C-alpha cells in the first residue's frame, strides 16, 4: 500500500483503474481497498484517496484538467477568492455541469495545469485584483517569470492585460500586502513597497513619501520575540519622526478598501495634529475618550500588549 500511496500522491491523490492494475493489483484487491476505506471509487474507472481535493477528483472524473484559479490554489499560489466551482480546461467548449470550462489545449497526462497556464487563464477569466494576486504571488515566489507573461500577452488585443502585468511587483511578501497596495494605488495614492529605512529595516510600504504602513498578520507578529521586534521598529520610526499605521491582514483580506480611511485619516492628521502639550492640557487620556483602568498593584491595564491595548493593531 505504501507504493500505491506514493503513486497517488504524485498524481494529486487520483488514479485510473489501469494504473492500479499496472502496479499488480487485481480486481478483488482493488475492491478490498475500497471496502476498507483506503480508496474511494469516484467515477467509472477512477479512484482517489479520501483526502484528495474534490475539485481535482471532479476534473479526473470528467477527463479534463484543473485550470485557472482552481489550479493556482492546488499548486499553492495566492488565491484571494477561491472558486465556487472548479475551473477546468478541455479541448472542446462543451459544458460540464458544476464547472467553469476554459477551452484550450490540454495534456491528458497533466491533471492540473502549470503555474504559468493558471496565471494566464486567470487574467482572461477573473476580476483584475483576483488575477493580479495570483500573478504577483507566482512572480514573487519565482514560480513564473515576468518576462514570459509579457511575451505571452504581446498581441494588440491584450493591451488591458499588459496594463495589469505592469502593476506586478516581484518584491511583494504576502497576499494582504498586494491587496493593500492595489487598493491604495487605485485610490490615487503613490505607493513605494518594501522600503529600507535606516535603523528600522524594511517596511511594507510608504504612501506619498510620508506615511509608513505595515500589514500585520498573526502568523508573523504573534510571538513574544515578534512582539518585541515590532515595538523596537515602531520606536525607531517614532524617534526619526516617521509616522506609521498598522493594518491587520484580516481586515485587508475581507475588504482591501478598508485601508483607505486609515491612510487618508493618518495623512490628514499629520497636517492638523495638536501638539503634545495641548493633549496633556485636555484632561489627559480621559478627555480623549480612552478607557484605561488602573489595577490595584499600581500597573495599568493593557500596557503589556494585550489584544485590546491602545494604539496597536493586531490581526
Amino acid at each position: 500500500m505504501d507504493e500505491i500511496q506514493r503513486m497517488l500522491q504524485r498524481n494529486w491523490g487520483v488514479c485510473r483503474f489501469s494504473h492500479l492494475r499496472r502496479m499488480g493489483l487485481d480486481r478483488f484487491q482493488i475492491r478490498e481497498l475500497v471496502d476498507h476505506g483506503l480508496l474511494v471509487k469516484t467515477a467509472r474507472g477512477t479512484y482517489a484517496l479520501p483526502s484528495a481535493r474534490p475539485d481535482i477528483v471532479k476534473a479526473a472524473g470528467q477527463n479534463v484538467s484543473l485550470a485557472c484559479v482552481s489550479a493556482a490554489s492546488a499548486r499553492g499560489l495566492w488565491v484571494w477568492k477561491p472558486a465556487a466551482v472548479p475551473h477546468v480546461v478541455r479541448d472542446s467548449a462543451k459544458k460540464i455541469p458544476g464547472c467553469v470550462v476554459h477551452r484550450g489545449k490540454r495534456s491528458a497526462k497533466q491533471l492540473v495545469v502549470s503555474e504559468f497556464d493558471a496565471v494566464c487563464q486567470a487574467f482572461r477569466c477573473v476580476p483584475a485584483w483576483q488575477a493580479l494576486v495570483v500573478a504577483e504571488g507566482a512572480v514573487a515566489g519565482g514560480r513564473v517569470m515576468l518576462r514570459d507573461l509579457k511575451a505571452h500577452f504581446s498581441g494588440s488585443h491584450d493591451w488591458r492585460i499588459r496594463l495589469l502585468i505592469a502593476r506586478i511587483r516581484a518584491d511583494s511578501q504576502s497576499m494582504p500586502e498586494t491587496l493593500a497596495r492595489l487598493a491604495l494605488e487605485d485610490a490615487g495614492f503613490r505607493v513605494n513597497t518594501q522600503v529600507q529605512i535606516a535603523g528600522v529595516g524594511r517596511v511594507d510600504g510608504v504612501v506619498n513619501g510620508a506615511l509608513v504602513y505595515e500589514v500585520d498578520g498573526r502568523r508573523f507578529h504573534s510571538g513574544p520575540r515578534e512582539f518585541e521586534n515590532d515595538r523596537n521598529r515602531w520606536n525607531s520610526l517614532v524617534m526619526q519622526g516617521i509616522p506609521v499605521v498598522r493594518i491587520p491582514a484580516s481586515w485587508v483580506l475581507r475588504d482591501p478598501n478598508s485601508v483607505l480611511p486609515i491612510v487618508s485619516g493618518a495623512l490628514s492628521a499629520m497636517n492638523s495634529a495638536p501638539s503634545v502639550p495641548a493633549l496633556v492640557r485636555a484632561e489627559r487620556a480621559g478627555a480623549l475618550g480612552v478607557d484605561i483602568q488602573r489595577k490595584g498593584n499600581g500597573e495599568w491595564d493593557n500596557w503589556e500588549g494585550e489584544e485590546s491595548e491602545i494604539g496597536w493593531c493586531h490581526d
Side-chain angles (χ1 to χ4, degrees):
M1 186 60 193
D2 289 345
E3 186 179 353
I4 297 171
Q5 284 186 322
R6 285 194 292 271
M7 180 272 292
L8 284 163
Q9 287 166 357
R10 289 195 301 270
N11 290 280
W12 303 95
V14 181
C15 70
R16 298 291 187 193
F17 176 79
S18 58
H19 296 155
L20 298 172
R21 294 287 286 127
R22 281 199 296 269
M23 297 193 72
L25 298 180
D26 58 29
R27 292 178 182 273
F28 174 78
Q29 291 171 315
I30 295 172
R31 187 178 304 162
E32 193 174 43
L33 290 173
V34 173
D35 291 342
H36 284 82
L38 300 175
L39 282 181
V40 178
K41 186 174 182 179
T42 58
R44 185 179 179 182
T46 305
Y47 296 83
L49 291 172
S51 59
R53 287 175 57 116
D55 51 2
I56 292 179
V57 170
K58 186 173 182 68
Q62 296 290 335
N63 293 316
V64 295
S65 298
L66 205 66
C68 194
V69 289
S70 297
S73 174
R75 290 193 173 275
L77 300 181
W78 297 346
V79 175
W80 177 30
K81 295 185 177 181
V85 296
H87 286 236
V88 299
V89 62
R90 67 183 307 172
D91 298 326
S92 69
K94 184 178 178 181
K95 293 182 178 180
I96 300 175
C99 291
V100 175
V101 178
H102 295 250
R103 185 176 180 181
K105 188 176 179 180
R106 170 186 174 263
S107 170
K109 296 181 179 179
Q110 193 176 43
L111 187 53
V112 180
V113 303
S114 67
E115 288 96 338
F116 181 80
D117 286 343
V119 170
C120 292
Q121 290 161 350
F123 272 124
R124 297 195 186 281
C125 178
V126 297
W129 283 7
Q130 294 183 44
L132 274 169
V133 163
V134 174
E136 190 157 286
V139 170
R143 313 275 288 275
V144 170
M145 301 302 293
L146 194 55
R147 63 173 178 269
D148 293 338
L149 288 176
K150 292 177 179 178
H152 183 79
F153 292 106
S154 58
S156 59
H157 60 289
D158 293 326
W159 64 272
R160 289 186 178 86
I161 296 178
R162 286 198 297 275
L163 290 177
L164 295 179
I165 292 173
R167 299 183 67 179
I168 293 175
R169 301 199 186 181
D171 60 358
S172 182
Q173 300 295 302
S174 71
M175 177 164 50
E177 286 182 30
T178 294
L179 288 167
R181 189 197 81 243
L182 293 174
L184 289 167
E185 288 177 342
D186 283 1
F189 293 103
R190 187 177 76 257
V191 183
N192 298 99
T193 56
Q194 298 302 315
V195 177
Q196 188 75 27
I197 297 178
V200 177
R202 198 175 297 275
V203 298
D204 291 346
V206 178
V207 181
N208 291 356
L211 175 69
V212 168
Y213 73 89
E214 299 234 72
V215 180
D216 294 344
R218 187 177 296 276
R219 178 181 173 189
F220 300 107
H221 298 269
S222 59
R225 181 174 297 178
E226 291 80 5
F227 178 90
E228 187 172 309
N229 289 340
D230 283 346
R231 273 53 186 176
N232 287 335
R233 284 161 54 83
W234 196 338
N235 289 340
S236 296
L237 288 167
V238 171
M239 287 188 289
Q240 295 183 54
I242 302 173
V244 58
V245 293
R246 305 193 46 187
I247 306 161
S250 60
W251 293 7
V252 179
L253 291 172
R254 281 195 298 270
D255 178 14
N257 286 320
S258 64
V259 306
L260 300 182
I262 299 171
V263 169
S264 298
L267 289 171
S268 298
M270 288 167 60
N271 299 321
S272 59
S275 64
V276 171
L279 293 177
V280 173
R281 286 194 300 270
E283 299 295 333
R284 293 186 171 82
L288 300 177
V290 178
D291 185 15
I292 304 178
Q293 304 248 343
R294 191 163 189 170
K295 298 178 180 178
N297 58 5
E299 297 179 350
W300 294 91
D301 275 336
N302 301 324
W303 92 287
E304 283 289 349
E306 296 156 1
E307 287 188 359
S308 59
E309 70 175 323
I310 296 166
W312 298 85
C313 295
H314 289 277
D315 177 17

